[in-house]
């Protein structure tokens, strides 16, 4: 989990980065913003920068396609800054110049680039120093109502920034340098031009730890049950819910994931197990994210996925049946006289 409530600004500077393919330029500031002397401004900026990361569970790392981490420009500059080898002002300029170099898609908007140094950022229970890099591209018009002698007046401000809508951002936490740091990323842009922030500028890959292993496997299994298994096996909705419930029960009650154990206890059918292995392998190839045969189950990842594991049978607009376990106590049939399907439920006590 990520918390910024105790975080504070050490440095903040704003540059402007245009679109290189549109013959726009960049503008570099020579002085930092004195944000610490204005508490209200500092609070507003902290909310603008940090709020989008409050629910960020996915942690990334820097990488480079050549497997040489030092060739990742943002990692290289960040490491120099964290080690005290590059002053903050020069670090921020290097970041702005590099972002300009990769801003080549014609649809990428120009905008302000905020580079900040942060203290007391808490990630996964530990406090660290961090770097924040944020870009604002979209502007909005705001009305301002004010008091005058005759009553109330109104004015407007064009091209203002909505502090509740951060366009792009990254928080680089100064920990695990040798592995590419712990990195959080936000990008609200849709379309083909969106990939430049994460892929071209930052070059990020998902951290493949227990949290990621747990969440990804649960996600893949959920999609397998929802989309793939009934291509081969004839299953009704109750059967699928049973498979989902057995999976959720496994992850909630076990401390360690064991692939063979999971396949036998949750899936059971050898043909379905083989089908799931193929489905999982396709995910590994597509996203370059290998699954381990054994790993410690991360409870926060299970909690995050729980809300997406649906266990409700929706019957027309009349009934919702919540199925929590014991598939054998739920019987489906067809009434010839009424020409309708039915479910028969077996229970001991009514509460």
């Amino acid at each position: 989990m990520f918390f910024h409530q105790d975080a504070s600004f050490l440095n903040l500077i704003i540059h402007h980065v245009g679109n290189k393919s549109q013959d726009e330029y960049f503008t570099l500031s020579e002085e930092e913003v004195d944000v610490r002397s204005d508490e209200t401004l500092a609070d507003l900026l902290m909310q603008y920068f940090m709020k989008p990361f409050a629910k960020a569970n996915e942690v990334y790392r820097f990488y480079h396609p050549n497997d040489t981490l030092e060739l990742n420009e943002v990692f290289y500059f960040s490491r120099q800054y964290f080690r005290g080898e590059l002053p903050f002002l020069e670090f921020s300029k290097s970041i702005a110049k590099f972002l300009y170099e990769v801003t080549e898609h014609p649809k990428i908007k120009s905008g302000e680039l905020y580079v900040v140094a942060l203290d007391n950022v808490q990630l996964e229970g530990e406090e660290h120093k961090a770097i924040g890099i944020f870009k604002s591209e979209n502007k909005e018009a705001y009305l301002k109502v004010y008091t005058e002698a005759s009553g109330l007046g109104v004015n407007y401000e064009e091209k203002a920034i909505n502090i509740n809508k951060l366009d792009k951002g990254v928080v680089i936490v100064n920990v695990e340098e040798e592995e590419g740091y712990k990195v959080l990323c936000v990008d609200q842009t849709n379309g083909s031009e969106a990939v430049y922030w994460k892929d071209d500028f930052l070059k990020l890959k998902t951290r493949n730890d227990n949290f990621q292993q747990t969440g990804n496997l649960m996600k893949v299994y959920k999609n397998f049950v929802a989309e793939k298994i009934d291509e081969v096996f004839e299953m009704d909705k109750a059967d699928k819910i049973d498979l989902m419930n057995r999976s959720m029960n496994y992850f909630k009650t076990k401390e360690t994931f064991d692939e063979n154990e999971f396949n036998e206890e949750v899936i059971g059918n050898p043909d379905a197990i083989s089908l799931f292995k193929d489905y999982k392998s396709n995910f590994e190839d597509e996203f370059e994210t290998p699954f381990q045969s054994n790993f410690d189950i991360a409870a926060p990842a299970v909690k995050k996925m729980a809300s997406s594991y649906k266990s409700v049978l929706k019957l027309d607009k009349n009934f919702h049946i919540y199925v929590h376990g014991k598939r054998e106590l739920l019987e489906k049939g067809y009434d010839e006289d009424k020409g309708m399907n039915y479910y028969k439920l077996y229970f001991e006590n009514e509460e």
Side-chain angles (χ1 to χ4, degrees), residues 81-315:
Y81 168 74
F82 282 135
R83 289 182 174 182
E85 299 170 358
L86 187 65
F88 176 78
L89 178 60
E90 297 307 314
F91 162 73
S92 71
K93 289 182 178 180
S94 298
I95 291 294
K97 291 175 183 177
F98 177 63
L99 178 60
Y100 176 75
E101 291 300 320
V102 300
T103 306
E104 295 184 324
H105 193 288
K107 291 186 178 180
I108 297 174
K109 297 178 181 178
S110 62
E112 288 75 37
L113 182 72
Y114 307 80
V115 182
V116 305
L118 298 161
D119 196 11
N120 297 326
V121 167
Q122 186 181 114
L123 179 63
E124 299 176 339
E126 298 180 347
E127 288 189 347
H128 301 280
K129 294 185 184 299
I131 292 166
I133 304 170
F134 314 97
K135 189 183 178 194
S136 61
E137 298 175 338
N138 298 295
K139 306 296 190 298
E140 300 179 8
Y142 285 87
L143 293 176
K144 296 188 293 185
V145 178
Y146 57 90
T147 304
E148 54 186 5
S150 58
L152 296 175
V154 64
N155 204 336
Y156 65 92
E157 183 170 346
E158 292 187 88
K159 298 183 178 181
I161 297 171
N162 186 339
I163 65 169
N164 294 311
K165 294 181 180 180
L166 177 67
D167 293 313
K168 291 176 173 63
V170 60
V171 175
I172 305 161
V173 183
N174 187 20
V175 64
E176 298 179 5
E177 173 196 296
E178 66 283 357
E179 297 178 44
Y181 294 119
K182 292 182 179 180
V183 184
L184 304 177
C185 182
V186 168
D187 189 349
Q188 306 294 346
T189 308
N190 295 316
S192 59
E193 72 276 12
V195 297
Y196 92 101
W197 180 257
K198 180 181 173 183
D199 295 347
D200 299 335
F201 173 53
L202 297 171
K203 295 185 184 69
L204 296 177
K205 67 177 181 180
T206 303
R207 180 185 62 172
N208 200 22
D209 60 1
N210 291 332
F211 183 97
Q212 207 64 41
Q213 287 278 315
T214 304
N216 280 343
L217 187 63
M218 294 183 73
K219 188 183 302 181
V220 169
Y221 180 78
K222 170 180 173 290
N223 293 339
F224 168 73
V225 172
E227 302 170 1
K228 187 67 178 179
I229 195 169
D230 54 5
E231 292 181 7
V232 179
F233 300 92
E234 186 174 339
M235 304 189 73
D236 58 28
K237 184 68 180 293
D239 293 325
K240 287 188 174 184
I241 289 176
D242 181 53
L243 283 174
M244 298 289 284
N245 284 341
R246 281 153 60 181
S247 169
M248 182 56 68
N249 182 64
Y250 181 92
F251 282 102
K252 283 185 174 180
T253 59
K254 304 283 187 178
E255 294 184 356
T256 303
F257 173 85
D258 179 272
E259 183 177 16
N260 293 329
E261 180 186 67
F262 177 84
N263 290 338
E264 292 175 7
E265 293 186 9
V266 176
I267 304 177
N269 184 293
D271 293 332
I273 291 172
S274 178
L275 187 65
F276 178 59
K277 286 182 178 179
D278 291 341
Y279 188 83
K280 182 158 59 74
S281 179
N282 290 334
F283 177 91
E284 291 176 312
D285 293 340
E286 181 178 356
F287 295 98
E288 298 181 352
T289 305
F291 285 109
Q292 299 169 13
S293 299
N294 301 81
F295 57 84
D296 292 335
I297 293 174
V302 178
K303 184 178 180 181
K304 177 186 176 185
M305 287 298 301
S307 61
S308 67
Y309 268 52
K310 305 300 181 184
S311 59
V312 184
L313 280 171
K314 297 182 179 180
L315 310 179

Side-chain angles (χ1 to χ4, degrees), residues 9 12 35 40-50 114:
F9 290 109
L12 186 153
V35 67
T40 300
L41 177 61
D43 289 344
L44 289 173
L45 287 172
M46 189 67 74
Q47 175 185 337
Y48 177 47
F49 296 148
M50 297 287 105
Y114 307 80

